Amino acid sequence: MRSKDRISYFYDGDVGSVYFGPNHPMKPHRLCMTHHLVLSYELHKKMEIYRPHKAYPVELAQFHSADYVEFLQRITPDTLHLFSSDLARYNLGEDCPVFDNLFEFCQIYAGGTIDAARRLNNQQCDIAINWAGGLHHAKKCEASGFCYINDLVLGILELLKYHARVLYIDIDVHHDDGVEEAFYFTDRVMTVSFHKYGDLFFPGTGDVKDVGEREGKYYAVNVPLKDGIDDTSFTRLFKTIISKVVETYQPGVIVLQCGADSLAGDRLGCFNLSIDGHAECVKFVKKFNLPLLVTGGGGYTKENVARCWTVETGVLLDTELPNEIPENEYIKYFAPHHSLRIPSGHIENLNSKSYLSTIKMQVLENLRYIQHAPSVQMQEVPPDFYIPDFDEDDQNPDERMDQHTQDKLIQRDDEYYEGDNDNDHQMDTS
């Protein structure tokens, strides 16, 4: 048992200032709300706070195709008309709109997950948190489901340099299709997704029968659920399956995606989970005492997302938080009760005991085909940092980094900023 977990937490205020558009459910502003709630409970005093580096295009191309990364770099709302055929090819449009600072947004959230993986690899922390990450739908050559760059795949690729086996767990209401697809043919990564399935629910994948192929057969685990699942059913199923997975697969590190759209009352979700039910999964995974990378994900009722990820930050710090939300910049969002916990929902639970039992038996049966944890011949470890060489004298002086940008690349162990130094922009009230 570790005496006390060392926790690294990644945040850049700029990530919460981008705007997907007036009618779009994705509100990155929820990340500012989460961060300020974390600060108001003084959780920052128990963690190391880092501003992530902005992932370089060459880092993003460790998974994504170079042409797709280059396209994301070049596209802006002003140049849309020049790229009409490419927009369709790379699946940008209504779900994945082009907005100001899109590429920088991707660089920040992906950089956070990559940095988190590197700190774990170098044993500089036991748990690393990047609530801005967890965008699990993005594919190698296209955007999907509000996700442009798949930071989770990039983080897992980083972890694979040091770990023979990586376990990925996803409790977002949507299936982890982008992550599963990336590792569908390998036994080095086991993906486990608990999600709503059926009724044409996005993305439409994740049947219990989808188990991986070739070397990856039985290393993709899907737990398809119906509307209205509650805390008791969800956590019981989660604990049974994850216990067996960890025992069988014996991972060296775990990546946990904590999409908050599985909470009751989410704009796009259809489950009945309370924050305590959701957080119980985080608490359970933490107990394995394995290196742990935790990310956000979906979540479209902003104030509940902020509540959830703050409670889960507390769980990771072994800190029980009072239910009364302290004064903070976003306090009005938590009116009228200003309470941290939300009750579970009242959607009819369509998951019968027999249905859940059948799913559980199928998953456990599939796990029996894994005789033992696969031993993997580790290759030579590639270097940690792929930084493109450039000669500063060749750069256009107008394009050189301004001081503010340079400052943001600096990571200091004591970095913590609030008030006037924060980069959060005006409150988004949409």
Side-chain angles (χ1 to χ4, degrees):
M1 189 73 181
R2 292 193 293 245
S3 57
K4 193 156 182 6
D5 289 312
R6 295 164 304 150
I7 300 195
S8 296
Y9 169 100
F10 294 87
Y11 178 72
D12 183 327
D14 287 352
V15 82
S17 65
V18 299
Y19 187 49
F20 275 59
N23 300 312
H24 201 287
M26 176 62 101
K27 309 282 186 197
H29 179 243
R30 66 203 178 127
L31 298 163
C32 299
M33 292 170 64
T34 302
H35 185 62
H36 280 273
L37 209 47
V38 164
L39 299 184
S40 71
Y41 278 105
E42 302 198 331
L43 295 176
H44 59 284
K45 296 180 176 174
K46 303 181 177 190
M47 308 185 282
E48 295 173 337
I49 309 282
Y50 296 97
R51 186 183 268 124
H53 86 289
K54 285 185 190 153
Y56 295 94
V58 70
E59 291 178 286
L60 304 180
Q62 295 302 304
F63 169 60
H64 294 283
S65 65
D67 60 306
Y68 173 54
V69 173
E70 189 189 346
F71 168 73
L72 288 178
Q73 251 182 303
R74 290 164 57 197
I75 190 86
T76 68
D78 297 331
T79 59
L80 271 177
H81 60 286
L82 303 173
F83 293 101
S84 50
S85 63
D86 287 339
L87 286 170
R89 174 153 65 119
Y90 297 121
N91 199 33
L92 269 70
E94 198 173 333
D95 269 4
C96 300
V98 176
F99 49 81
D100 288 327
N101 301 317
L102 166 59
F103 190 65
E104 184 185 33
F105 172 66
C106 295
Q107 288 179 292
I108 293 171
Y109 78 72
T113 302
I114 292 168
D115 284 350
R118 287 184 180 141
R119 284 194 76 77
L120 288 168
N121 279 346
N122 294 317
Q123 298 180 358
Q124 293 167 305
C125 63
D126 304 303
I127 297 172
I129 303 170
N130 177 29
W131 292 126
L135 280 76
H136 58 178
H137 296 305
K139 308 292 199 304
K140 185 180 178 70
C141 303
E142 66 175 45
S144 175
F146 317 160
C147 307
Y148 302 84
I149 291 292
N150 199 315
D151 62 289
L152 291 158
V153 172
L154 294 168
I156 291 168
L157 288 173
E158 202 63 39
L159 294 169
L160 286 170
K161 295 175 184 178
Y162 285 74
H163 297 277
R165 291 177 300 281
V166 177
L167 172 59
Y168 171 75
I169 304 169
D170 192 308
I171 57 173
D172 194 289
V173 77
H174 299 96
H175 178 236
D176 66 344
D177 58 337
V179 183
E180 179 182 279
E181 188 178 291
F183 300 111
Y184 208 59
F185 299 109
T186 178
D187 57 7
R188 302 255 340 250
V189 180
M190 178 174 272
T191 60
V192 186
S193 179
F194 296 79
H195 52 268
K196 153 80 177 175
Y197 179 73
D199 310 324
L200 302 177
F201 193 75
F202 184 86
T205 49
D207 193 316
V208 72
K209 298 188 195 73
D210 299 331
V211 295
E213 290 178 28
R214 303 206 297 257
E215 284 78 33
K217 193 164 188 187
Y218 302 117
Y219 294 92
V221 176
N222 283 301
V223 185
L225 302 166
K226 301 175 191 285
D227 287 10
I229 194 159
D230 55 30
D231 287 350
T232 307
S233 313
F234 191 93
T235 54
R236 185 183 294 144
L237 191 61
F238 182 87
K239 290 176 180 181
T240 303
I241 288 172
I242 295 303
S243 298
K244 196 65 186 169
V245 161
V246 172
E247 177 195 324
T248 309
Y249 189 59
Q250 295 174 25
V253 60
I254 298 177
V255 177
L256 176 60
Q257 195 267 22
C258 299
D261 46 8
S262 43
L263 290 175
D266 188 80
R267 260 177 87 179
L268 300 185
C270 51
F271 286 175
N272 283 329
L273 298 186
S274 70
I275 286 174
D276 285 337
H278 199 273
E280 184 61 33
C281 298
V282 179
K283 193 177 289 183
F284 187 73
V285 171
K286 181 179 185 289
K287 282 185 182 150
F288 290 106
N289 282 327
L290 288 165
L292 179 59
L293 198 169
V294 179
T295 72
Y300 307 100
T301 301
K302 292 194 294 190
E303 59 276 18
N304 289 349
V305 175
R307 287 177 165 110
C308 181
W309 292 343
T310 301
V311 167
E312 288 169 352
T313 304
V315 163
L316 294 167
L317 288 164
D318 295 319
T319 304
E320 188 76 36
L321 303 181
N323 197 32
E324 175 77 19
I325 291 178
E327 187 59 43
N328 71 86
E329 198 173 319
Y330 299 102
I331 191 73
K332 69 174 197 186
Y333 282 97
F334 304 104
H337 302 299
H338 302 113
S339 57
L340 191 57
R341 301 306 200 274
I342 61 159
S344 50
H346 304 292
I347 298 173
E348 185 189 354
N349 187 355
L350 301 180
N351 299 273
S352 65
K353 283 197 169 126
S354 66
Y355 174 74
L356 292 175
S357 176
T358 303
I359 292 293
K360 180 180 76 178
M361 296 316 293
Q362 281 185 267
V363 167
L364 296 180
E365 180 64 27
N366 289 340
L367 288 171
R368 284 182 52 216
Y369 288 105
I370 301 171
Q371 295 303 312
H372 51 80
S375 61
V376 176
Q377 188 63 46
M378 291 295 281
Q379 307 302 317
E380 184 186 347
V381 177
D384 262 0
F385 238 101
Y386 297 90
I387 302 183
D389 292 325
F390 58 81
D391 186 340
E392 201 174 90
D393 296 332
D394 292 344
Q395 276 193 296
N396 178 339
D398 296 331
E399 291 177 358
R400 284 192 195 162
M401 283 191 264
D402 58 33
Q403 190 57 48
H404 174 63
T405 309
Q406 287 179 30
D407 289 345
K408 282 167 56 175
L409 290 178
I410 297 168
Q411 290 186 6
R412 300 206 321 267
D413 277 4
D414 61 348
E415 177 170 25
Y416 163 63
Y417 47 97
E418 62 180 335
D420 296 339
N421 299 323
D422 203 337
N423 291 312
D424 295 353
H425 292 236
Q426 294 306 304
M427 230 189 271
D428 153 29
T429 50
S430 61

